[in-house]
Amino acid sequence: MSRSLALFAIGLLFGGGIGFVTAAGNGITFDGHDHGDPAHHGGGHAGAMAHDHATAVDLPSGPDAPRVAIRLHKDPMSGWNLQVLPQNFRFAPQKASAENVPGEGHAHVYVNGDKLARLYAEWVHLPSLPAGAVVKVSLNTNNHSALTVEGQPVEATTTVPSDAEGT
């Protein structure tokens, strides 16, 4: 009996670890924390875990200002592959929730206004998107503040074409 329990525990440990490594390798975190929902910012956060999404880091416009573009590519097997093309910005997953460093951070992916994930790389697979859905990607600083240029959020949007149109 104890051997079965030990093997079960080992299976859970390795199975869960493989899932997290696969997600992290694809730049996805499903952190269960909706940055747009004030209910997720109650008094339970303290110290290093606290972050304020109301604050924006505003930068001047110009050739060195961060920008982002996105493209949807129909996946031949299923769903869509979202390509994020940042300029003057680099993904820094190892510094998430840490001090801001100019030009680095992470992105948030939204579908029809609902946050899907935090993104730490330039590609992510979206298994199912209805035709006409609006996909938005915003750039954020290491400490989760919105990144803006001259008061405008650094973000890009696209509309999902019909399956037959793929890009």
Side-chain angles (χ1 to χ4, degrees), residues 75-152:
D75 187 286
M77 186 178 293
S78 68
W80 297 86
N81 295 314
L82 174 65
Q83 182 181 17
V84 179
L85 302 160
Q87 293 179 4
N88 302 317
F89 181 88
R90 71 184 167 281
F91 291 104
Q94 71 282 10
K95 296 182 184 174
S97 301
E99 294 288 322
N100 286 337
V101 173
E104 69 179 34
H106 61 276
H108 293 170
V109 179
Y110 299 87
V111 175
N112 291 332
D114 294 326
K115 183 179 171 202
L116 212 77
R118 197 185 298 170
L119 183 64
Y120 295 111
E122 293 183 4
W123 288 90
V124 63
H125 180 258
L126 302 173
S128 177
L129 292 174
V134 176
V135 177
K136 177 176 83 170
V137 173
S138 66
L139 297 185
N140 299 77
T141 64
N142 289 336
N143 78 353
H144 308 278
S145 295
L147 193 56
T148 62
V149 173
E150 299 289 331
Q152 297 300 310

Side-chain angles (χ1 to χ4, degrees), residues 13-40:
L13 178 69
F14 283 105
I18 290 169
F20 283 108
V21 168
T22 301
N26 288 304
I28 302 171
T29 65
F30 295 100
D31 56 7
H33 176 92
D34 183 353
H35 291 172
D37 185 353
H40 289 203

